[in-house]
Amino acid sequence: MKKDTISQLSVLNLSCLLAGLLLLAGSCSESNDSGNLMEFEYVDPLVKVLAEASYFKPAKAVSEVVRGENATLQFVVRPRNQITGLHVDVSPALNGVNALPPAKTGFVGYVKVGRSIWDYSRDRIVSPSGYYPDPILEEESIDVDFGNTQAIWISIPIPADAVPGNYEGKVTISGKSGKRSFSLSKDYSVKVYPVTVGKTSLWVTNWFTIDTSKLKLLNGGRKVDPFSEEHLGLIRMLAAKMAEYRQNVALISPLTLSEYEYADGKWNIDFTNFDKIVNIFIEEKVIGKIEGGHIGGREGDWNSQFAVMVPNDTAGLENKFDMLRITEKRAKEFYTSFFTALTAHLKEKGWDKIYMQHIADEPTEQNFNTYIDIAKFVKNIAPGMPLIEACHSKNLGGILDIWVPQLDFMDLDYEFYNAQNKSGKEAWFYTCLSPKGEYVNRFIELPLLRTRYMHWLNFKYEIPGYLHWGLNWWNSDPFEEQTGIQYEGGNILPGGDSWIIYPDNGRILSSIRLEAMRDGIVDYELLKMLESKDPGKAREGADRIIFSFTRYDNNIEAFRNHRRKLMELLSEDAS
């Protein structure tokens, strides 16, 4: 009986042992054949990976950078089953005892472009589903449906004092494919050149709104009282994101932010709210320049004449102003008081040297005379205040200090605008829903190289600034439909025109377009650095990529080779 019991126990133990071995073998097999459950590959972060994409050539994950910028990596996962809880871990990038800062990871989200624009470019990206990659979702994990491809975005800030050299690390993805757990790893490397990029010298502005109806999307949609502590906190969040992505000009309106009282035959102007907003953007290190918001606008349709906004006695922000011609007595009296007070206030705050004033947006050949009338009036009151304008006409009486033509107008009249830059004035360029065709822009349907090349144009054509109107003009659901339409004229606002960042509850999300724009700004700074060292080689480097305002090398590998050469040239004799 005892022997039988021992025998039975031995058999039981043997069975348990065999089961354990089988379980271990199954676990090892599951780990070893995880690659059969999905594709996991590196893709250059300048590639927009559609959810439908299915072919990815194996490639080494390498990012080549200078100090002071961000190393960016993109991996893709395409499952052969549904993935639940896809998670990403990035080990520190090490070079001996030296380590780069922790990586920031995200999943590229897909958004809808539901309206077609005209004048498509030859390299427009076409998505069969109508959904395109853009927001970088800061989620701990994400589910991936069978048949879809998911892009993973990794960004590593490179300190200005990082030790040059090659840094190595691992990217590991894990989760469940069907009912099976998986874990897959790939090596990555970051090569840091002995070159440091500092502050941005290119003037960059994306116009933003601080309207509470938009910013409430940052706090879950809860009502926000204007200029409350919560409102100011959301504005600060916006400013911090702008600074992070190298914007150094802020459009802030002393006219619409101030409070007015007319008593005893004179205007009393309270700049308190204007000061609060400017101080936030200074503290968050955005402001190199302040763009004073527009004081006027069209009386009606696009070709109508310009009038100015004059405060009235009506309560409420929406109808706080009447539109009057500058020739009217009430308009003259108000703006004489306003610009006299503003000039003194800016000087008192120490902001007079960084302030520039808009008059009215986009004067054309049909209405430039009324624009000139307003601009001359302002100049008479505040002669030392620079005027800046996005313009569709160069017939503005020579009164502007900073011309900002649309890019196609810059192309058409480059000799005129280049002369402004050489004569002590400035001429920037801007993009918006136009130009289309082969011009660079930041539309979602365009390749990321097109967005990055905007600032190569800045260098090649000696254009010291860039302007866009739409940082955060979100609709009610900015994670879905990206396009808009102007019903009066039928203009389509292309996907990517109205915003380049996304609201999340308590944070602002970047986009792959904003990352490309920031990297293009860094490219500009590197080209300027090389220009100070060897102008001929800097010019040659730009010319090998940008052939004209509408012709570029759209090969990503060729671009990487040219940028590598740029970093190598800057590294010569560097310590």
Side-chain angles (χ1 to χ4, degrees), residues 69-71 100-104 155-159:
E69 68 167 327
N70 287 63
L100 296 178
K104 183 177 181 180
S155 181
I156 303 172
I158 310 300

Side-chain angles (χ1 to χ4, degrees), residues 406-408 430-437 439-441 443 446:
Q406 193 171 276
L407 179 57
D408 48 339
Y430 80 96
T431 62
C432 56
L433 69 153
S434 294
K436 302 181 182 72
Y439 286 101
V440 296
N441 214 312
F443 303 150
L446 289 180

